[in-house]
Structure formats: C-alpha cells, structure tokens
Amino acid sequence: MNVLVLNCGSSSLKYQLIDMNTQEVLCSGLVERIGDPMGKIAHKSFPGSDKQKAVSSEEAFPDHGAALKAANVLISSNPETKVVSAVSDIAAIGHRVLHAGTVYREPVVIDTDVKATIRKFFILGPLHNPPQLIGIEAAEVLYPGVPQVAVFDTAFHATIPDYAATYAIPYSYYTELGVRRYGFHGTSHWYVAKKTASVIGKPFDKTSCITVHLGNGCSMDAVKNGVCVDTSMGLTPLQGLMMGTRSGDIDASIYAFLAKNKGMSVEEIDNLLNKQSGLKGICGMNDMRDIHAARAKGDKMAQLAVEMFCYRVKQYIGAYLAALDGCDAIAFTAGIGENDTDVRQMVCEGLGSVGVKIDKDRNYGFKRGEVCKISSDDSPVAVYVIPTNEELEIATQTVSVVASK
Ligand code: ADP
C-alpha cells in the first residue's frame, strides 16, 4: 500500500511516497518559492525502488496546486523518475495540516466538514492552513477517489488539560478568539513518544515521557500514560524554548516596552521576536554547528547562547518531571536533539538529584540516525536519542484511518 504524504508550507510543498508494506520511501521531493516569479522542484527516487534518480528544475509555480501537479508528473508519469505506473497505485494521501484547534484529537478522512474546520482555523494558522487547504483541493482533483486524510499538528496536544492550556488573561479572549496554548510539532512528538514506548518495552498507554524536539524550531512535550499533558509552544510557535531565531518565553510586557521606548510597530516587534532573536539574537548565528565552531574559538557570545539554550531545556525538563509525577524516559530528537552531543550533555548534567543520569561515553558514542540510550543503567529516568520521522507518522496514521473505514 503506497501512501503519499503531503506537507504544504507557506511557500513550499514537501512530499514523500512511502510503501507502507516495507516502510520504504519510494520517492521524495521539495518544491520551493511557490508564488514567486521563479520556483524550484527537487525530486529524488530512492534506491530499492525501480528508479534511482535525483532531478531538479526551475520553473514558476503560481500556487500549491501547480506544485503538486509538477510533483505528480515526477512521481507517476515521467519515465526517468516515476516510481508508480499509474495514479491508481497510490492508495491514500496523508496531508499534514497545522491547525484544527482542539476540534480533532485523531486524524480524519477529509470531507466538507473537515475542510470547513481547516478554513475556520485560518486565523490561527494564517501561513499554513490556507496553502494546506489548496493542497488538499488540488489532490482531490489529481487523485480522484483516493482517500485523503488530514493529520493535524495540533491533534496530539488537544488532550492538554485546561489548567495547562489556558492563559491567565480574561477568559473571553479564549471563547471569542481561541487564545490558548495549542503547541506545534505535534506529529513529531507523537511519533517519538510512541517510539520511546516501544524502545523501553512498555505499552504506549502506560508510558510517561518527555519528548525534546530541538531543531530550528524547538519544543517539548510532557506525555503521561500515552496522553500529552503539556507542551512548551503556545498560541503560536514563539513560546517556550529558546530557538534558532525565536526568543521563546519572555516577559510579555517587553512588547509594550519596545513599542513605547523604541517606537516599534506590532509587525516590527513580531519580526524581532520571531526572526532576529533566539540564538541569532545573542550571537548572530542560528545554526548550532556554526555556534559550536565559534565557541571552540573562544567566542563568548556563542558560549552564552549555548548556555542559555541548554538552561531553558533543563528548566522545562524540571517542570515536566513535576507535571508528570513519574517519568520513564526523556527522548531527544530533531537536528540538534539527534546530533548535538554537547547540548545533550549540558542539558542533562546536574539532573541526577531528579533521577536523570546521563552517561557521557554513551552520549558521545551515539550512532547518528539510530535509536540510542544515553543514560546510565541505574538512571531512574532513561534518556534516549530517537530520530523523528513525521512523514512516516503521517503515513501510519493515514493507513490506520483508511483501514478503520
Ligand atoms: P527544522 O526541521 O526545524 O528546520 P532541523 O530538525 O533540521 O530543523 O534542525 C536544524 C538544526 O539542527 C540547526 O540548528 C542545525 O545546526 C542543527 N544540526 C544539524 N546537524 C547538527 C549536528 N551534527 N550537530 C549540531 N547541530 C546540528
């Protein structure tokens, strides 16, 4: 059974075709700069499938529908790259959709009600929900009769109890506008939490863990008995941990302070906190590899940026250990979480008194791309590196929804 996974960003389309019998990726691709005068499509058909080919070309993609059409040619009809002989070889399509508020806790087959919900949440996902709806409607035309499933980024977080999700501002802002904590990276956290359960050999609904997703965007989840009970991001992906260019938690009054004292507009402050802050705001760089290279040469601001970054993750681990009242494991994932030994070491060192004992040799000896245990055997809370795979999670959820119909 082949599942096409589509992930429409504000100006991009990522896709993967996965054979769910073998979990083999048959092909994948990225269309960028959708809506610009000139865009780019890069496509790979993978070893093991009958074509092994990487192609890329530049052309204009006026919208996500045009991008999907171009991808479909490479997937199913271009003789150089195709990995299926007909569109009918695609059994289902899984769409990553950013926002459905708390409406859906599970993936759903897309119908007019689901599309109306996606539209309703344009206000909370203005950059993602509109292109994702365009992608869905384009896929309905290109793949008629193929079941389309929406996997919502917010679904895993829809279980967070009101006391953790509600902001302490007048409640009417929630009832009128939906202002509350929703969190993001939900599909990644869900995948990693389930994988953590299988690695420690416990049923998911008996597993409590903290998932630490550290990429350009960074977030953490507290998962109690397979149910998410807290997340670090908020109404938007700005809240929580320090990130590549995002500030994470700050005193909310900084907005008003900057407006009053620097004459900055709402847009300027939003841009400052989302695009010029975080690691970049402290040391001028947002790629962790560059920052470590600078630290190694004695750059004090790079050192401060890393210390700040790790301290914030450590604080959230403490908070989530308290929220969970019993935790089996902590799982690091995404670009930094999976690869950055120094960050993992700095985060976990000094947590022995709360049951987290990292093993330095295991941490530094980890194998890239593999599940690795990096805590000592006597650590009450195990610590793992678990590579994330959002596409596989979307495809898996798509299969389970289609099979249950
Ligand atoms: P996103 O999907 O959020 O764009 P990724 O999960 O790809 O981000 O993570 C990007 C981050 O991972 C960057 O800060 C990058 O520096 C960091 N990263 C990738 N590889 C390594 C590595 N080997 N060591 C340290 N950091 C790394």
Side-chain angles (χ1 to χ4, degrees):
M1 177 179 189
N2 298 327
V3 176
L4 179 62
V5 176
L6 298 179
N7 181 353
C8 293
S10 48
S11 63
S12 68
L13 165 69
K14 277 192 217 159
Y15 59 91
Q16 254 187 32
L17 185 67
I18 305 176
D19 176 347
M20 292 305 287
N21 297 326
T22 58
Q23 299 203 339
E24 182 192 2
V25 176
L26 300 175
C27 68
S28 69
L30 171 65
V31 188
E32 292 175 288
R33 301 196 298 276
I34 296 169
D36 282 4
M38 189 53 76
K40 184 178 175 194
I41 181 164
H43 174 98
K44 273 189 204 156
S45 302
F46 284 99
S49 56
D50 55 357
K51 303 279 173 191
Q52 300 177 19
K53 189 99 184 160
V55 292
S56 68
S57 64
E58 301 217 332
E59 57 190 281
F61 303 101
D63 57 30
H64 286 75
L68 182 57
K69 247 188 198 159
N72 182 52
V73 168
L74 294 169
I75 295 168
S76 65
S77 64
N78 181 325
E80 289 292 301
T81 58
K82 69 176 184 173
V83 287
V84 292
S85 42
V87 161
S88 56
D89 289 338
I90 295 172
I93 300 179
H95 295 265
R96 178 202 174 209
V97 184
L98 183 79
H99 228 299
T102 54
V103 175
Y104 297 113
R105 297 184 175 202
E106 299 290 339
V108 284
V109 172
I110 296 170
D111 58 16
T112 45
D113 286 349
V114 174
K115 285 195 271 184
T117 302
I118 295 170
R119 194 171 286 110
K120 182 177 155 202
F121 283 95
F122 277 9
I123 183 173
L124 292 175
L127 297 179
H128 292 85
N129 275 32
Q132 285 161 352
L133 188 57
I134 293 172
I136 288 166
E137 289 179 335
E140 286 172 339
V141 174
L142 270 175
Y143 307 99
V146 177
Q148 316 261 342
V149 173
V151 177
F152 295 98
D153 237 31
T154 44
F156 189 49
H157 298 141
T159 51
I160 295 174
D162 289 345
Y163 63 78
T166 307
Y167 290 114
I169 60 174
Y171 197 67
S172 57
Y173 288 92
Y174 170 56
T175 48
E176 281 168 28
L177 279 169
V179 177
R180 64 163 250 159
R181 185 195 288 273
Y182 295 101
F184 299 88
H185 295 142
T187 312
S188 171
H189 287 291
W190 209 342
Y191 175 84
V192 171
K194 284 195 275 190
K195 189 87 183 170
T196 302
S198 82
V199 166
I200 63 173
K202 277 180 104 171
F204 188 44
D205 64 0
K206 301 255 180 325
T207 299
S208 294
C209 61
I210 298 171
T211 48
V212 186
H213 179 116
L214 304 177
N216 281 313
C218 300
S219 65
M220 288 172 59
D221 273 14
V223 180
K224 192 173 177 70
N225 296 325
V227 173
C228 183
V229 294
D230 209 346
T231 190
S232 62
M233 283 179 168
L235 174 74
T236 76
L238 181 60
Q239 197 182 343
L241 302 175
M242 180 176 175
M243 310 180 210
T245 63
R246 285 174 243 164
S247 64
D249 296 332
I250 56 164
D251 179 343
S253 293
I254 289 175
Y255 260 93
F257 183 87
L258 293 179
K260 280 188 204 143
N261 292 291
K262 291 278 278 181
M264 292 170 77
S265 67
V266 170
E267 287 73 26
E268 283 170 335
I269 299 171
D270 216 39
N271 180 60
L272 177 86
L273 297 178
N274 278 289
K275 304 220 166 109
Q276 311 298 332
S277 297
L279 295 166
K280 184 177 177 192
I282 300 301
C283 68
M285 293 168 273
N286 62 294
D287 190 303
M288 202 46 116
R289 289 162 292 197
D290 298 338
I291 297 171
H292 285 308
R295 270 175 82 211
K297 288 188 193 137
D299 183 329
K300 290 201 167 55
M301 296 314 284
Q303 177 64 22
L304 174 64
V306 173
E307 285 173 8
M308 290 170 64
F309 183 92
C310 296
Y311 180 61
R312 187 74 62 86
V313 178
K314 190 190 282 270
Q315 284 180 304
Y316 267 88
I317 287 178
Y320 286 175
L321 287 172
L324 289 174
D325 189 19
C327 176
D328 298 302
I330 297 170
F332 284 91
T333 196
I336 297 170
E338 288 171 30
N339 297 299
D340 196 322
T341 46
D342 286 355
V343 164
R344 294 196 302 252
Q345 193 68 32
M346 286 167 76
V347 166
C348 294
E349 254 168 21
L351 288 177
S353 65
V354 289
V356 181
K357 296 188 195 168
I358 192 164
D359 180 311
K360 198 168 182 179
D361 292 338
R362 284 182 179 172
N363 180 36
Y364 281 90
F366 86 109
K367 292 201 181 68
R368 206 170 291 266
E370 290 184 15
V371 170
C372 293
K373 185 176 183 181
I374 58 167
S375 51
S376 59
D377 288 333
D378 67 341
S379 180
V381 179
V383 186
Y384 283 91
V385 177
I386 307 241
T388 192
N389 193 337
E390 287 169 274
E391 287 76 17
L392 182 58
E393 180 63 24
I394 292 170
T396 304
Q397 294 197 14
T398 299
V399 170
S400 72
V401 174
V402 172
S404 68
K405 280 279 150 186

